[in-house]
Structure formats: C-alpha cells, structure tokens
Amino acid sequence: MSTCHTTPAEGSRRRLRTEFARLVRLFGLWRNEVGDPEPFYSALAAEAAADLDRRHGLAGAELLDLGCGPGYYTSALREAGARVVGVDMDTTGWQGTFGLVQGDATSLPFPTAGFDGVFCSNLLEHVADTAGVLAEIERVLRPGGWVYLSWTNWYSPWGGHEMTPYQYLGPERGPRLYEKRHGPPRKNRMGEGLFAVHVGPTLELLSRRRGLEVVSVVPRYWPWLSFVTSIPGVREVVTWNCLIRMRRRWDDFR
Ligand SMILES: C[S@@+](CC[C@H](N)C(=O)[O-])C[C@H]1O[C@@H](n2cnc3c(N)ncnc32)[C@H](O)[C@@H]1O
C-alpha cells in the first residue's frame, strides 16, 4: 500500500511554484498585448470567471459587465453559465458579440436592483467621476449581490498607461512633461481617457456608500500580498491593479 503525504512546507512551495508559473505566463501574454490582445484578455477572463463561479456560483446569475470593452469577460462569464449584459460607451470591437449595450457607467440605462452581480474590470481609471460609477453600481445591484471592482491605480507601475513612468511626477506635472517631450499619447490622454484614481481615496468614497460593504481589497495579480493594501502609500505602488470585492447590503436597501 502506498501513501502520499504532503507536508505544509511542501504544499506552500508547490503553491508558490504554481503562482510563479501563472505570473510568468500572464506576463508573457501581457508583453504582446498591444499587437495581439486576445490571448492575454481571454486568459484573464477565464481566470476571473472560474474564480467568481467558485465564490458565487454563476449558473443562471444575472450579471452586468461594466465597461465591457470588446466583451472578453462577458463571453467568459456566459461560458460559466451566467446571463450577462455588457455595457460600454464605445462600441468598437463589438462585431459578432450579442447582448452588449451602449451606455455611460455614471448613468446606466438599467432599472434599480436588477443584477445579482457587477463585474467591473479596468473601467474606473478611464472615467472622470469615480463616485458616479460607485453610486450606479450600488443602485443596480440586488440586496446581497456581489461586486468585483478592479482598476489600475495611478501610482502603479502601469498607472500612467502609455505615459508610464511619468505618472510618478504627479497627475499634472507628469502628463504635461510627457506631452512636451513625446506629444499626446496614442490613447488614454490624461483628463480625457485617463484619470488618477488612487486606492485610499476610492476606499474613502466607498466608506460613505451605505449600501456597499467592502469584503476584501487585494492586488489583483498577486492576491497573496493582500496585506499591502492596508499600508497607505505602499499600496498605491505595490498593488499594481487594485481589486475590491463588495457586497450589496440588505439592511440599507432603498
Ligand atoms: C481598458 S478598457 C477595459 C475593458 C475590459 N473591461 C477589460 O478589463 O479588459 C476600458 C473601457 O471602459 C470604457 N469606458 C470609458 N468610460 C466609460 C463610461 N463612462 N461608461 C462606460 N464605459 C466607459 C471604454 O470605452 C473601454 O472600453
């Protein structure tokens, strides 16, 4: 008879190796993202859908993919069994994807309390009115509903997007100097398609939303480093992409 024992140390090493392999694979796909976005976004979308299915069970759930872009996440969430409406201001890349709606995240064309979950990836830093987006997320969720909110925070190593690393000179001086030296960025121009959205002030805004309860705050790509999100200053850089999970409160339903 053979037995297979794994010590806690071996288990930790195995998890570490798996996580490291995952990051190397994602980083490789991200480096080719500009020329070939599909593999990177499909991998992230499949990962997010599997995670949400484990946490909430997606079969039959009615979800909103807020700022859906071309719909990679909408498709992955549907494959996991959810009924998903994708919404975006920009309809570019929508050919062939059904059930997407053009709309503004700060003024959604949906009734109150219509969704079981809101998935919102990498929208927040592209909208001037962060508070407006949070208010709409709260409004369209059913009591007990969940939120997955992630974005690239401003002082993250990729916070300036095409202007990186000029974001470290601040949201005014950085973009000004970038444009003086390189001209306007190809996309995501500061104040038009890109805004400085930080971790601390976003949590502060959320603390004032009585209907939303923050469940966890983690770096999206390295969630095992979750402790960094409680260190002001450090979290603005190390988090890279901040993921806030929330739940719609029952007792404050208006
Ligand atoms: C970086 S893409 C994110 C796409 C996708 N969610 C992802 O994570 O890959 C940001 C998207 O937000 C959309 N967007 C920007 N401002 C918006 C607004 N006010 N309302 C709805 N969508 C908006 C843009 O058109 C763009 O498709």
Side-chain angles (χ1 to χ4, degrees), residues 98-118:
F98 69 96
L100 304 181
V101 173
Q102 188 170 25
D104 181 352
T106 62
S107 172
L108 289 170
F110 305 115
T112 297
F115 293 100
D116 300 309
V118 174

Side-chain angles (χ1 to χ4, degrees), residues 41 65 67-69 73 88-90 103-105 121-123 126-127:
Y41 289 109
D65 180 3
C68 63
Y73 291 93
D88 203 290
M89 290 254 272
D90 183 356
D104 181 352
S121 159
N122 293 338
L123 163 80
H126 300 289
V127 181

Side-chain angles (χ1 to χ4, degrees), residues 41 44 65-73 87-92 94 103-108 119-128 133 150 161 187-188 192-193 195 220:
Y41 289 109
L44 279 183
D65 180 3
L66 191 53
C68 63
Y72 294 114
Y73 291 93
V87 65
D88 203 290
M89 290 254 272
D90 183 356
T91 63
T92 311
W94 279 10
D104 181 352
T106 62
S107 172
L108 289 170
F119 181 84
C120 182
S121 159
N122 293 338
L123 163 80
L124 218 51
E125 71 271 40
H126 300 289
V127 181
V133 176
S150 99
H161 289 59
K187 56 180 188 170
N188 297 318
E192 290 171 13
F195 301 87
R220 177 175 177 176

Side-chain angles (χ1 to χ4, degrees), residues 136-160:
E136 279 297 81
I137 290 176
E138 182 186 271
R139 184 183 69 77
V140 299
L141 266 179
R142 294 192 177 121
W146 55 262
V147 186
Y148 176 113
L149 173 70
S150 99
W151 81 100
T152 307
N153 38 290
W154 176 256
Y155 286 120
S156 133
W158 187 241

Side-chain angles (χ1 to χ4, degrees), residues 172-188:
E172 274 140 42
R173 204 147 56 101
R176 212 173 37 237
L177 191 62
Y178 175 91
E179 294 209 6
K180 205 166 152 194
R181 298 179 72 177
H182 307 282
R186 190 175 52 86
K187 56 180 188 170
N188 297 318

Side-chain angles (χ1 to χ4, degrees), residues 11-57:
S12 301
R13 274 199 296 276
R14 193 178 299 162
R15 274 196 298 279
L16 212 62
R17 274 199 300 273
T18 309
E19 276 301 332
F20 186 68
R22 167 186 164 262
L23 279 180
V24 168
R25 187 172 66 91
L26 283 177
F27 186 66
L29 296 175
W30 178 70
R31 281 179 32 182
N32 295 326
E33 182 261 339
V34 173
D36 188 12
E38 202 274 335
F40 176 64
Y41 289 109
S42 294
L44 279 183
E47 197 174 77
D51 171 70
L52 288 167
D53 194 29
R54 270 193 305 273
R55 285 167 190 271
H56 307 291

